[in-house]
Amino acid sequence: MSQIDPSSLPAAARALAAGQTSAVALAEAALARINDPAGEGARAFVAVQAEAALATARAMDALRAVGRAPSPWAGIPITVKDLFDQEGIPTRAGAAVLAEAPPATATAPAVARLQRAGFVVLGRTNMVEFAFSGLGVNPHHGTPRSPYDRATGRLPGGSSSGAAVAVADGMGLAGLGSDTGGSCRVPAALCGIVGYKPTSKRVPLAGVLPLSPSLDSIGPLANSVACCSVLHALMAGAEEASPPPVRPVAGLRFGIPEGTFLFDGLEPAVAAAFERAVSRLAAAGAFIERFAFPELAEIPAANAKGGFAAAESYAWHRALIARARDGYDPRVLSRILRGAEQDAADYQQLLASRARIMAAAVARTAGYDAVLCPTAALTPPPIAAVAEEAEYGRINLLLLRNTAAFNFLDRCSISLPCHAPGEAPVGLMLSGAFDGDAALFGVSAAVEAVLKG
């Protein structure tokens, strides 16, 4: 088993280059954690691809030994959400109704690009059925527990639940997830790691089972901004990738949307961690301004009939529901069926409202390097708390509310852990401009350095 701390991609890459560890050792260490009966592997994964992972790791070690490693990242173990096509493997999206799905005929570009760089895929991670919830609950495969307070058993966040828990528990150095309303950032916040949602056009959606093509985006979950930056660059098509330089926080401009729903009903621990993070940034020389952002208040009204997620998921699921309705998670089914309430005129109005709100928001936030708010309003709730439908809906809304606003605006957005050691995990969300991904990574690296310092 590897004795190198595999907490970040850069650290692992340096250790591999120096011969201090090997791809096989990294893969074996991750697989040992996955297979630990006292751990979360059985709930975090729906399929473990141990044989293929070890074969790939041996190949990467052999290539590195003769100076032919495809990239500095070759041999680093990662996971893939059960939403992405892998050639020869069924894509089931955490759903029982797709149990008999045929094997995929091609690998999704996002996955294939990472494989070409030499990353080792350990397996497919668990998720909310069809990615339609922010809680992380899956009645078919079980619900992996947040690393916080395992004795109680707390929600991991969703929909990329298994990806987040796998990273937090060292079952791979990073996870490939998706984010339609917060599905990378919410589990990152509830599991104490970093989760990134790019501008949606940056990474191709081909080979990814859709929830809402208007909102879907492909993002990484990992232990640092540097890790997410490298993975995003490669998935977006870059031939090479390196971590962003850490710039000083002094002189950066951050806006906090005061008086908006982003700050309604915050759990006291979330509010305290957020204000502490803001104070540290101000002390480091950042310019902090609390500003009005009235356009945010228009988003709930635009989504009143279920928004893009309901309309577009219903279009994809309608025929499958007709054949296999009883096989769905009823809580997911009820959310998909809201799409049947919308007609073409409703959808056209939604498109127009989004375009208008996005344009107004660009002008409103133009003076800031990032907009700051808590990622989610709550620390990880107990899994038992969402047994009743009313609480399931209430908690789901509170977890997704802040992140979903920036999906609607199609902003790049990242969640960084901002809680103190020993406290319940809390995420600080930084949201940048449309197509401002590179700039946001630089800003986020600066903020991360202050928070860790």
Side-chain angles (χ1 to χ4, degrees):
M1 183 176 294
S2 171
Q3 298 303 307
I4 303 299
D5 175 16
S7 60
S8 75
L9 269 61
R14 289 191 297 270
L16 286 165
Q20 296 171 322
T21 190
S22 67
V24 168
L26 292 175
E28 287 177 341
L31 289 168
R33 294 186 185 97
I34 293 169
N35 294 323
D36 181 356
E40 292 297 303
R43 286 180 286 268
F45 286 79
V46 297
V48 180
Q49 298 164 351
E51 184 177 345
L54 290 170
T56 304
R58 286 191 290 270
M60 291 304 112
D61 283 337
L63 287 169
R64 179 169 271 107
V66 295
R68 295 292 187 269
S71 83
W73 319 106
I76 294 178
I78 61 171
T79 67
V80 172
K81 187 177 181 178
D82 190 32
L83 198 71
F84 293 85
D85 285 351
Q86 290 178 278
E87 184 178 0
I89 297 170
T91 302
R92 298 191 173 106
V97 293
L98 295 184
E100 303 304 320
T105 58
T107 297
V111 179
R113 289 171 176 177
L114 296 180
Q115 289 179 314
R116 281 198 295 272
F119 284 94
V120 174
V121 176
L122 297 166
R124 301 177 68 81
T125 49
N126 196 5
M127 56 179 285
V128 174
E129 180 181 278
F130 294 116
F132 212 157
S133 166
L135 300 178
V137 173
N138 187 299
H140 314 299
H141 302 294
T143 300
R145 296 174 295 173
S146 165
Y148 174 69
D149 188 15
R150 285 259 161 88
T152 297
R154 294 181 178 271
L155 292 169
S159 64
S160 306
S161 53
V165 172
V167 170
D169 283 14
M171 297 184 288
L173 272 70
L176 180 53
S178 65
D179 192 310
T180 304
S183 288
C184 286
R185 290 159 293 160
V186 171
L190 268 59
C191 291
I193 62 171
V194 180
Y196 187 67
K197 171 237 174 294
T199 307
S200 62
K201 70 173 185 177
R202 298 283 299 172
V203 180
L205 294 171
V208 184
L209 197 148
L211 172 56
S212 171
S214 292
L215 303 174
D216 290 345
S217 57
I218 306 308
L221 299 94
N223 282 311
S224 73
V225 172
C227 298
C228 289
S229 176
V230 166
L231 292 165
H232 169 72
L234 293 171
M235 288 192 291
E239 291 298 320
E240 298 179 354
S242 57
V246 179
R247 59 189 290 187
V249 162
L252 292 177
R253 296 175 61 87
F254 297 113
I256 299 175
E258 195 168 48
T260 64
F261 63 73
L262 301 178
F263 293 88
D264 290 346
L266 296 184
E267 188 176 322
V270 172
F274 175 78
E275 292 299 336
R276 186 170 61 228
V278 170
S279 295
R280 294 182 70 178
L281 294 175
F287 174 80
I288 309 287
E289 183 175 41
R290 299 179 189 264
F291 73 107
F293 198 168
E295 291 78 15
L296 290 176
E298 300 178 46
I299 295 175
N303 285 330
K305 288 194 171 183
F308 290 105
E312 294 174 354
S313 65
Y314 180 69
W316 192 93
H317 283 271
R318 181 167 52 179
L320 183 58
I321 290 171
R323 297 195 307 270
R325 182 188 186 107
D326 291 344
Y328 277 76
D329 177 348
R331 288 166 167 176
V332 169
L333 178 64
S334 66
R335 284 156 176 80
I336 295 172
L337 289 176
R338 290 203 65 197
E341 302 169 11
Q342 298 186 47
D343 58 24
D346 293 324
Y347 189 75
Q348 289 296 319
Q349 183 176 342
L350 179 59
L351 288 170
S353 295
R354 187 189 194 198
R356 175 181 53 78
I357 294 168
M358 285 176 66
V362 167
R364 185 75 61 182
T365 61
Y368 303 114
D369 291 294
V371 174
L372 304 182
C373 70
T375 306
L378 306 175
T379 61
I383 295 171
V386 299
E388 298 298 325
E389 174 64 25
E391 279 299 278
Y392 183 104
R394 184 186 72 84
I395 292 173
N396 188 52
L397 176 62
L398 282 171
L399 290 181
L400 288 172
R401 181 193 65 198
N402 291 7
T403 52
F406 292 92
N407 290 82
F408 189 90
L409 298 174
D410 197 8
R411 300 297 188 90
C412 52
S413 186
I414 193 166
S415 179
L416 308 180
C418 66
H419 55 284
E423 293 182 347
V426 175
L428 170 68
M429 187 163 70
L430 292 79
S431 299
F434 173 83
D435 216 16
D437 299 71
L440 182 62
F441 275 123
V443 170
S444 301
V447 171
E448 180 183 57
V450 170
L451 296 180
K452 287 185 173 180

